[in-house]
């Protein structure tokens, strides 16, 4: 069987950069791999003026509407489908999604199942039919990191430029619990402050001939506080109950929420082994 190209999709606040180390290992394995910036992230990010204006005004950061508030699940999914077509030349590709990238992958696979040879969810949101990912994303740890009312500003907002050691430790604990501290500081500096809440509020009606027909793998992360193991297990159980003829292939890592930084070689080995 010919190995398919691999497309990596980041989660909220992150971007293509987070897959750099994993892509190096993918290339060493002789595989074609690529990572994208979803709308509102990375090179497509738009930062609220209050995040960089001086002198810094904490209240402005709380109140300023997000410039990415208009980006929704439809836009993100359409973009991902186009990227799948581009990488595969119209043929199926393996898509690996992390965190909130999972709900975008789910919509894209429902929209164009013929373009996905396998959907791989790495510590990712994989909500059931007609269920928004945000229903599973309201953990106390994440709430502690948010710096504005998402309904008011249209985004889940972090203060990624904060010099406050205690706040930066919150970000470390949430996203990068098992990552080298120097690498964590670099990663935090690359995060986008705003993630479009409408992506997380969107839901997808799943069908047997759409998402339900696509082979899927869920890679669990046993030390995750963003998507706790019990929530990951629920995603898998709900999917298998809805589509018993296409059960989820389940693997696991002893990792926190960002194994692409703490163990990129293992992530790449798993993904490349899925063909």
């Amino acid at each position: 069987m010919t190995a398919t190209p691999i497309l990596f999709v980041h989660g909220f606040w992150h971007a293509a950069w987070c897959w750099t180390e994993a892509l190096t290992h993918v290339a060493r394995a002789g595989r074609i791999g690529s990572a994208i910036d979803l709308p509102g992230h990375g090179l497509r990010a738009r930062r609220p003026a209050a995040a960089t204006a001086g002198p810094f005004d904490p209240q402005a950061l709380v109140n300023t509407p997000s410039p990415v508030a208009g980006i929704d699940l439809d836009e993100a999914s359409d973009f991902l489908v186009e990227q799948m077509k581009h990488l595969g030349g119209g043929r199926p590709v393996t898509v690996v999604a992390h965190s909130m990238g999972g709900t975008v992958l789910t919509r894209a696979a429902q929209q164009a199942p013929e373009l996905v040879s396998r959907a791989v969810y790495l510590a990712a949101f994989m909500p059931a039919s007609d269920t928004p990912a945000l229903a599973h994303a309201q953990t106390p740890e994440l709430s502690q990191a948010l710096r504005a009312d998402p309904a008011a500003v249209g985004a889940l907002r972090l203060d990624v430029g904060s010099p406050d050691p205690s706040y930066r430790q919150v970000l470390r604990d949430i996203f990068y619990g098992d990552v080298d501290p120097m690498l964590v500081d670099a990663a935090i500096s690359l995060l986008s402050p705003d993630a479009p809440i409408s992506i997380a509020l969107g839901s997808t009606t799943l069908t047997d001939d759409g998402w339900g027909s696509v082979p899927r793998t869920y890679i669990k992360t046993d030390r995750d506080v963003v998507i706790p193991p019990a929530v990951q297990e629920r995603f898998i159980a709900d999917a298998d109950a809805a589509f018993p003829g296409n059960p989820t292939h389940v693997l696991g890592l002893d990792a926190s929420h960002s194994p692409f930084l703490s163990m990129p070689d293992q992530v790449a080995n798993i993904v490349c082994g899925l063909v």
Side-chain angles (χ1 to χ4, degrees):
M1 181 181 295
T2 302
T4 62
I6 306 169
L7 185 61
F8 291 88
V9 184
H10 61 83
F12 270 0
W13 304 290
H14 292 70
W17 58 261
C18 72
W19 298 107
T20 300
E21 294 299 320
L23 279 168
T24 298
H25 292 283
V26 167
R28 286 175 180 165
R31 298 290 296 275
I32 296 172
S34 182
I36 62 171
D37 289 333
L38 287 172
H41 296 81
L43 295 177
R44 296 179 173 83
R46 299 294 180 268
R47 295 173 178 264
T52 54
F56 177 68
D57 181 354
Q59 197 58 41
L61 189 67
V62 170
N63 296 327
T64 301
S66 175
V68 301
I71 297 171
D72 60 12
L73 184 57
D74 292 339
E75 180 178 347
S77 175
D78 288 346
F79 178 81
L80 177 54
V81 169
E82 288 304 311
Q83 296 302 306
M84 293 190 298
K85 291 177 181 176
H86 180 71
L87 181 62
R91 294 181 295 276
V93 300
T94 296
V95 186
V96 182
H98 176 250
S99 201
M100 197 58 75
T103 198
V104 183
L105 170 55
T106 293
R107 170 66 70 83
Q110 173 63 35
Q111 184 175 337
E114 72 281 1
L115 295 178
V116 185
S117 63
R118 179 170 292 275
V120 183
Y121 294 81
L122 173 63
F125 289 94
M126 192 175 73
S129 185
D130 299 316
T131 303
L134 192 64
H136 302 285
Q138 301 180 43
T139 63
E141 292 83 0
L142 187 56
S143 297
Q144 188 180 2
L146 297 181
R147 283 297 177 261
D149 177 1
V153 302
L156 299 171
R157 178 168 292 163
L158 305 178
D159 185 5
V160 297
S162 174
D164 180 1
S166 62
Y167 180 76
R168 294 181 70 83
Q169 187 62 49
V170 168
L171 297 181
R172 291 188 185 99
D173 293 343
I174 293 172
F175 299 123
Y176 311 117
D178 59 344
V179 180
D180 179 88
M182 290 186 66
L183 187 55
V184 171
D185 286 338
I188 290 174
S189 72
L190 293 172
L191 296 175
S192 302
D194 282 3
I197 192 172
S198 290
I199 292 178
L201 287 171
S203 63
T204 303
T205 299
L206 305 177
T207 63
D208 286 318
D209 59 351
W211 185 82
S213 69
V214 176
R216 63 183 177 274
T217 294
Y218 199 101
I219 305 173
K220 299 190 297 180
T221 41
D222 295 337
R223 290 190 274 160
D224 204 321
V225 298
V226 177
I227 310 178
V231 176
Q232 299 177 48
E233 292 283 0
R234 180 178 175 182
F235 290 151
I236 295 164
D238 287 349
D240 291 353
F243 304 101
N246 181 22
T248 309
H249 174 227
V250 181
L251 298 169
L253 290 170
D254 182 23
S256 63
H257 191 58
S258 302
F260 45 75
L261 293 180
S262 62
M263 49 186 73
D265 54 339
Q266 293 185 48
V267 170
N269 289 340
I270 287 176
V271 172
C272 289
L274 297 174
V275 182

